[in-house]
Amino acid sequence: MNDHDHDSSNASGNRPFHDVLKTNLERRKVLKGGLAVAATTLFASSGMAHALGGSRGQAAAGRGGRALLGFTPVAIADGSGPNPSISPEYQFDVILPWGDPLQPQGPAFQWPPRPADQAEQIGIGHDGMWFFPLINAHGRRGGWDEAVENDPWRGRALAFGQGNDHGLLCLNHEFGDNTHVLGKSMPESLDEVRTSQHAHGVSVIEIRKRPGRKGHWQPVKSPRSRRIHANTPVRFSGPAAGHALLRTANGNIPLGTLNNCANGYTPWGTYLTCEENFNGYFGTEDAGWTPDESQQRYGFSRDGFGYGWHLYDKRFDLADADYQNEENRFGWVVEIDPFDATQTPVKRTALGRFKHEGSTVHVDASGRVVVYSGDDQRFDYIYKFVSADSWRAMRARGESPLDHGTLYVARFNDDGSGEWLELSLDVPALALRFADMGELLINTRIAADIVGATPMDRPEWVTVGADERVYCALTNNSRRITPDAANPMAPNPDGHIIRWQEVDSFVGERLAWDIFLIAADTHGEDRDDTFSDPDGLWADPDGRLFIETDGGQKKGLNNQLLVADTGSGELRRLFTGVSGCEVTGVAVTPDRRTLFVNLQHPGDGDPALTNFPVLNATPDGVTIPRDATIVITRRDGGIVGS
Ligand code: FEO
Ligand code: CA
Ligand code: CA
Ligand code: CA
């Protein structure tokens, strides 16, 4: 999200390998020879070179020697102002703006929305998303299970040619400030709080494309379309389910999901939505309230982000005894079955509690699932969960692969090696601190502090490349004073992208990392591919890396979508958003001929900056910009990014 709460709450002082000598690996040395070739320089002396340079590393070199990036970049001069721009070989369409009805006959947009209407309309703060193809008219799930066996790209090959014009889009609604949603800085009634709460969460929307290359996608009447918001019943699963720290004095059932940032999707066809800055929705007017250790580590404060929900909804009042522990119910990864609107969303506690940016699922050769997740705050960590057994075997036994397994946190050593540090009661220091696994998971950040994880420059999205390297965007960190090799800029206002290879296997505990690129290195006068603040990442199976930005761009640019060739390091600008917006979220159809991205907080809600996507005049003449989804296609019908 914008910049609501990225101050550090990590007072652990973790500084791995404090040896200042290590910082002699200055970024210029690390990057000698240009982008993406750091590995050989960095690891030649550490014996790790083979880990990053093996035959699998060749996958990114492009198919048959053809250039991966065949489009004309958006010129810097065209990438500013109130309207989006796109490469001349491409076209875009705008769909699903905030406030449009979920069902074709649903309540039409009006501003400010009424609470009951908002619960049946697209939410605000469009962020992570995924497209689940519908293979036939009866809405059968698109062959995901069988596909995985043959194609690590999770069904792409099998589903090729099917479900490319019809499917379920799961769409996160991260946040919407009161001024944007309500037209005032603070709610003045419970009704207004409900409006704000209903604008958050997730939309599941069945959408269909009209025939033709430029066909417009639109929502269709569907029993699967649904809204999940801050008041939707949810349930807990995994080691912390039923824990005393997840129960309230008044026994209210678990409700809702909040600040749904990035996402994941599973090989069994479900959607994962991730709760990021959940702390900011809580607050209290009780001057005597002070945060305990856990609340401090998660950043709870009396005013929160200024939503004021606690003024009318005591569930969000940190000092209300009836709702003690309510705040522990947020900060989780939530599993949603897009194909079953009656399913209760499940909070998967085995994946830990922190400010989850996303949750990227990869299937190991053994069939076990690995889930990567960044904790987006200054000086917080990168995590990996490994399922206990192959996902097929577990599901055959009636178990969720996301309920049983091992959670790890990353340590990046200055010599290019790294370890996944286990977070369980098998670690003596953690057994001393926590009574049980539930308590540990509810306080995942504190456990990670204890084992000595590496504090990072705000970990955002993670993606697994065609080269089987794992890429993570570290968006920026203006507060870093002491650099280390993995976070070499101090301060780091523009961010970088780190990547690693799992040395033994995806389920192993050793990694070898290098820095893919440093954003500041693209800012030179002679460079057209300048960008800052990488956030959204998605790797395609050909070796492309889609990079989305969220932050102040140089040279007057709006936030943007770029595509990198992970083999050559080449970088081109495919699309730019509008004034004040962030570009985020990536989804593709199975044939990769259609790409969905989101424009979040256009104009930061200020109509003087932009009225994207259209001039929405309300009866009193007020106009308001609306978050929306952008549908991107190549004019010649080719693969997106090519
Ligand atoms: Fe919601 Fe860290 O972006
Ligand atoms: Ca955001
Ligand atoms: Ca961000
Ligand atoms: Ca983000």
Side-chain angles (χ1 to χ4, degrees), residues 88-105:
E89 288 86 10
Y90 281 77
Q91 57 197 1
F92 71 87
D93 195 12
V94 183
I95 62 169
L96 307 175
W98 163 47
D100 261 22
L102 197 64
Q103 303 275 2
Q105 302 309 316

PDB file of all heavy atoms in Angstrom, residues 88-105:
ATOM      1  N   PRO A  88       3.013   0.935 -28.368  1.00  0.00           N
ATOM      2  CA  PRO A  88       2.196   0.993 -29.592  1.00  0.00           C
ATOM      3  C   PRO A  88       1.779  -0.373 -30.135  1.00  0.00           C
ATOM      4  O   PRO A  88       0.781  -0.462 -30.852  1.00  0.00           O
ATOM      5  CB  PRO A  88       3.085   1.743 -30.585  1.00  0.00           C
ATOM      6  CG  PRO A  88       4.446   1.806 -29.980  1.00  0.00           C
ATOM      7  CD  PRO A  88       4.270   1.674 -28.507  1.00  0.00           C
ATOM      8  N   GLU A  89       2.485  -1.437 -29.782  1.00  0.00           N
ATOM      9  CA  GLU A  89       2.072  -2.775 -30.244  1.00  0.00           C
ATOM     10  C   GLU A  89       0.955  -3.360 -29.387  1.00  0.00           C
ATOM     11  O   GLU A  89       0.478  -4.465 -29.655  1.00  0.00           O
ATOM     12  CB  GLU A  89       3.264  -3.739 -30.230  1.00  0.00           C
ATOM     13  CG  GLU A  89       4.298  -3.481 -31.310  1.00  0.00           C
ATOM     14  CD  GLU A  89       5.327  -2.436 -30.897  1.00  0.00           C
ATOM     15  OE1 GLU A  89       5.342  -2.049 -29.712  1.00  0.00           O
ATOM     16  OE2 GLU A  89       6.107  -1.988 -31.766  1.00  0.00           O
ATOM     17  N   TYR A  90       0.572  -2.623 -28.355  1.00  0.00           N
ATOM     18  CA  TYR A  90      -0.417  -3.129 -27.403  1.00  0.00           C
ATOM     19  C   TYR A  90      -1.635  -2.233 -27.335  1.00  0.00           C
ATOM     20  O   TYR A  90      -1.645  -1.107 -27.839  1.00  0.00           O
ATOM     21  CB  TYR A  90       0.221  -3.227 -26.005  1.00  0.00           C
ATOM     22  CG  TYR A  90       1.100  -4.450 -25.825  1.00  0.00           C
ATOM     23  CD1 TYR A  90       2.383  -4.492 -26.371  1.00  0.00           C
ATOM     24  CD2 TYR A  90       0.647  -5.553 -25.127  1.00  0.00           C
ATOM     25  CE1 TYR A  90       3.193  -5.605 -26.208  1.00  0.00           C
ATOM     26  CE2 TYR A  90       1.446  -6.671 -24.955  1.00  0.00           C
ATOM     27  CZ  TYR A  90       2.713  -6.690 -25.495  1.00  0.00           C
ATOM     28  OH  TYR A  90       3.500  -7.801 -25.337  1.00  0.00           O
ATOM     29  N   GLN A  91      -2.686  -2.743 -26.702  1.00  0.00           N
ATOM     30  CA  GLN A  91      -3.902  -1.962 -26.449  1.00  0.00           C
ATOM     31  C   GLN A  91      -4.415  -2.327 -25.060  1.00  0.00           C
ATOM     32  O   GLN A  91      -4.051  -3.362 -24.508  1.00  0.00           O
ATOM     33  CB  GLN A  91      -4.967  -2.290 -27.503  1.00  0.00           C
ATOM     34  CG  GLN A  91      -5.305  -3.779 -27.553  1.00  0.00           C
ATOM     35  CD  GLN A  91      -6.023  -4.206 -28.827  1.00  0.00           C
ATOM     36  OE1 GLN A  91      -6.277  -3.399 -29.705  1.00  0.00           O
ATOM     37  NE2 GLN A  91      -6.347  -5.487 -28.907  1.00  0.00           N
ATOM     38  N   PHE A  92      -5.253  -1.423 -24.507  1.00  0.00           N
ATOM     39  CA  PHE A  92      -5.825  -1.753 -23.198  1.00  0.00           C
ATOM     40  C   PHE A  92      -7.279  -1.342 -23.122  1.00  0.00           C
ATOM     41  O   PHE A  92      -7.760  -0.513 -23.887  1.00  0.00           O
ATOM     42  CB  PHE A  92      -5.022  -1.120 -22.050  1.00  0.00           C
ATOM     43  CG  PHE A  92      -5.171   0.376 -21.931  1.00  0.00           C
ATOM     44  CD1 PHE A  92      -6.208   0.926 -21.187  1.00  0.00           C
ATOM     45  CD2 PHE A  92      -4.271   1.222 -22.552  1.00  0.00           C
ATOM     46  CE1 PHE A  92      -6.342   2.304 -21.063  1.00  0.00           C
ATOM     47  CE2 PHE A  92      -4.395   2.601 -22.433  1.00  0.00           C
ATOM     48  CZ  PHE A  92      -5.438   3.138 -21.694  1.00  0.00           C
ATOM     49  N   ASP A  93      -7.969  -1.972 -22.175  1.00  0.00           N
ATOM     50  CA  ASP A  93      -9.372  -1.700 -21.907  1.00  0.00           C
ATOM     51  C   ASP A  93      -9.489  -1.581 -20.386  1.00  0.00           C
ATOM     52  O   ASP A  93      -8.635  -2.095 -19.655  1.00  0.00           O
ATOM     53  CB  ASP A  93     -10.204  -2.885 -22.433  1.00  0.00           C
ATOM     54  CG  ASP A  93     -11.682  -2.547 -22.548  1.00  0.00           C
ATOM     55  OD1 ASP A  93     -12.050  -1.367 -22.451  1.00  0.00           O
ATOM     56  OD2 ASP A  93     -12.471  -3.499 -22.724  1.00  0.00           O
ATOM     57  N   VAL A  94     -10.509  -0.895 -19.907  1.00  0.00           N
ATOM     58  CA  VAL A  94     -10.688  -0.697 -18.468  1.00  0.00           C
ATOM     59  C   VAL A  94     -11.969  -1.395 -18.028  1.00  0.00           C
ATOM     60  O   VAL A  94     -13.026  -1.201 -18.638  1.00  0.00           O
ATOM     61  CB  VAL A  94     -10.769   0.801 -18.120  1.00  0.00           C
ATOM     62  CG1 VAL A  94     -10.888   0.983 -16.608  1.00  0.00           C
ATOM     63  CG2 VAL A  94      -9.559   1.545 -18.649  1.00  0.00           C
ATOM     64  N   ILE A  95     -11.859  -2.225 -16.997  1.00  0.00           N
ATOM     65  CA  ILE A  95     -13.042  -2.940 -16.487  1.00  0.00           C
ATOM     66  C   ILE A  95     -13.070  -2.880 -14.960  1.00  0.00           C
ATOM     67  O   ILE A  95     -12.093  -2.519 -14.314  1.00  0.00           O
ATOM     68  CB  ILE A  95     -13.076  -4.423 -16.948  1.00  0.00           C
ATOM     69  CG1 ILE A  95     -11.860  -5.189 -16.418  1.00  0.00           C
ATOM     70  CG2 ILE A  95     -13.138  -4.512 -18.461  1.00  0.00           C
ATOM     71  CD1 ILE A  95     -11.955  -6.715 -16.595  1.00  0.00           C
ATOM     72  N   LEU A  96     -14.200  -3.268 -14.407  1.00  0.00           N
ATOM     73  CA  LEU A  96     -14.378  -3.509 -12.974  1.00  0.00           C
ATOM     74  C   LEU A  96     -13.953  -2.345 -12.082  1.00  0.00           C
ATOM     75  O   LEU A  96     -13.232  -2.532 -11.096  1.00  0.00           O
ATOM     76  CB  LEU A  96     -13.629  -4.789 -12.548  1.00  0.00           C
ATOM     77  CG  LEU A  96     -13.934  -6.050 -13.355  1.00  0.00           C
ATOM     78  CD1 LEU A  96     -13.029  -7.203 -12.895  1.00  0.00           C
ATOM     79  CD2 LEU A  96     -15.407  -6.435 -13.215  1.00  0.00           C
ATOM     80  N   PRO A  97     -14.403  -1.118 -12.378  1.00  0.00           N
ATOM     81  CA  PRO A  97     -14.068  -0.022 -11.475  1.00  0.00           C
ATOM     82  C   PRO A  97     -14.759  -0.188 -10.120  1.00  0.00           C
ATOM     83  O   PRO A  97     -15.831  -0.803 -10.029  1.00  0.00           O
ATOM     84  CB  PRO A  97     -14.588   1.218 -12.196  1.00  0.00           C
ATOM     85  CG  PRO A  97     -15.667   0.711 -13.089  1.00  0.00           C
ATOM     86  CD  PRO A  97     -15.248  -0.679 -13.502  1.00  0.00           C
ATOM     87  N   TRP A  98     -14.113   0.330  -9.088  1.00  0.00           N
ATOM     88  CA  TRP A  98     -14.703   0.378  -7.749  1.00  0.00           C
ATOM     89  C   TRP A  98     -16.156   0.878  -7.844  1.00  0.00           C
ATOM     90  O   TRP A  98     -16.420   1.865  -8.517  1.00  0.00           O
ATOM     91  CB  TRP A  98     -13.888   1.333  -6.868  1.00  0.00           C
ATOM     92  CG  TRP A  98     -14.603   1.774  -5.630  1.00  0.00           C
ATOM     93  CD1 TRP A  98     -15.279   0.997  -4.753  1.00  0.00           C
ATOM     94  CD2 TRP A  98     -14.731   3.122  -5.160  1.00  0.00           C
ATOM     95  NE1 TRP A  98     -15.816   1.777  -3.742  1.00  0.00           N
ATOM     96  CE2 TRP A  98     -15.482   3.081  -3.963  1.00  0.00           C
ATOM     97  CE3 TRP A  98     -14.257   4.359  -5.625  1.00  0.00           C
ATOM     98  CZ2 TRP A  98     -15.790   4.236  -3.229  1.00  0.00           C
ATOM     99  CZ3 TRP A  98     -14.555   5.501  -4.889  1.00  0.00           C
ATOM    100  CH2 TRP A  98     -15.318   5.432  -3.708  1.00  0.00           C
ATOM    101  N   GLY A  99     -17.049   0.169  -7.177  1.00  0.00           N
ATOM    102  CA  GLY A  99     -18.429   0.618  -7.079  1.00  0.00           C
ATOM    103  C   GLY A  99     -19.357   0.092  -8.158  1.00  0.00           C
ATOM    104  O   GLY A  99     -20.570   0.239  -8.056  1.00  0.00           O
ATOM    105  N   ASP A 100     -18.800  -0.527  -9.207  1.00  0.00           N
ATOM    106  CA  ASP A 100     -19.673  -1.152 -10.199  1.00  0.00           C
ATOM    107  C   ASP A 100     -20.325  -2.385  -9.580  1.00  0.00           C
ATOM    108  O   ASP A 100     -19.750  -3.022  -8.693  1.00  0.00           O
ATOM    109  CB  ASP A 100     -18.871  -1.563 -11.442  1.00  0.00           C
ATOM    110  CG  ASP A 100     -19.003  -0.555 -12.570  1.00  0.00           C
ATOM    111  OD1 ASP A 100     -19.337   0.614 -12.273  1.00  0.00           O
ATOM    112  OD2 ASP A 100     -18.755  -0.926 -13.731  1.00  0.00           O
ATOM    113  N   PRO A 101     -21.526  -2.750 -10.039  1.00  0.00           N
ATOM    114  CA  PRO A 101     -22.179  -3.920  -9.444  1.00  0.00           C
ATOM    115  C   PRO A 101     -21.431  -5.218  -9.764  1.00  0.00           C
ATOM    116  O   PRO A 101     -20.894  -5.384 -10.855  1.00  0.00           O
ATOM    117  CB  PRO A 101     -23.565  -3.910 -10.086  1.00  0.00           C
ATOM    118  CG  PRO A 101     -23.448  -3.072 -11.297  1.00  0.00           C
ATOM    119  CD  PRO A 101     -22.354  -2.081 -11.039  1.00  0.00           C
ATOM    120  N   LEU A 102     -21.440  -6.123  -8.788  1.00  0.00           N
ATOM    121  CA  LEU A 102     -20.810  -7.429  -8.961  1.00  0.00           C
ATOM    122  C   LEU A 102     -21.593  -8.266  -9.969  1.00  0.00           C
ATOM    123  O   LEU A 102     -21.028  -8.976 -10.787  1.00  0.00           O
ATOM    124  CB  LEU A 102     -20.789  -8.126  -7.598  1.00  0.00           C
ATOM    125  CG  LEU A 102     -19.873  -9.293  -7.372  1.00  0.00           C
ATOM    126  CD1 LEU A 102     -18.413  -8.876  -7.481  1.00  0.00           C
ATOM    127  CD2 LEU A 102     -20.138  -9.892  -5.979  1.00  0.00           C
ATOM    128  N   GLN A 103     -22.903  -8.193  -9.858  1.00  0.00           N
ATOM    129  CA  GLN A 103     -23.798  -8.873 -10.806  1.00  0.00           C
ATOM    130  C   GLN A 103     -24.367  -7.815 -11.746  1.00  0.00           C
ATOM    131  O   GLN A 103     -24.570  -6.674 -11.331  1.00  0.00           O
ATOM    132  CB  GLN A 103     -24.952  -9.565 -10.072  1.00  0.00           C
ATOM    133  CG  GLN A 103     -24.521 -10.572  -9.017  1.00  0.00           C
ATOM    134  CD  GLN A 103     -24.241 -11.972  -9.581  1.00  0.00           C
ATOM    135  OE1 GLN A 103     -24.336 -12.192 -10.789  1.00  0.00           O
ATOM    136  NE2 GLN A 103     -23.889 -12.895  -8.702  1.00  0.00           N
ATOM    137  N   PRO A 104     -24.643  -8.200 -13.004  1.00  0.00           N
ATOM    138  CA  PRO A 104     -25.104  -7.198 -13.970  1.00  0.00           C
ATOM    139  C   PRO A 104     -26.320  -6.397 -13.489  1.00  0.00           C
ATOM    140  O   PRO A 104     -26.455  -5.224 -13.817  1.00  0.00           O
ATOM    141  CB  PRO A 104     -25.438  -8.032 -15.212  1.00  0.00           C
ATOM    142  CG  PRO A 104     -24.578  -9.240 -15.081  1.00  0.00           C
ATOM    143  CD  PRO A 104     -24.449  -9.521 -13.615  1.00  0.00           C
ATOM    144  N   GLN A 105     -27.191  -7.022 -12.708  1.00  0.00           N
ATOM    145  CA  GLN A 105     -28.404  -6.308 -12.278  1.00  0.00           C
ATOM    146  C   GLN A 105     -28.246  -5.674 -10.895  1.00  0.00           C
ATOM    147  O   GLN A 105     -29.199  -5.161 -10.329  1.00  0.00           O
ATOM    148  CB  GLN A 105     -29.599  -7.270 -12.254  1.00  0.00           C
ATOM    149  CG  GLN A 105     -29.872  -7.942 -13.594  1.00  0.00           C
ATOM    150  CD  GLN A 105     -29.957  -6.938 -14.735  1.00  0.00           C
ATOM    151  OE1 GLN A 105     -30.572  -5.882 -14.622  1.00  0.00           O
ATOM    152  NE2 GLN A 105     -29.316  -7.264 -15.862  1.00  0.00           N
TER     153      GLN A 105
END
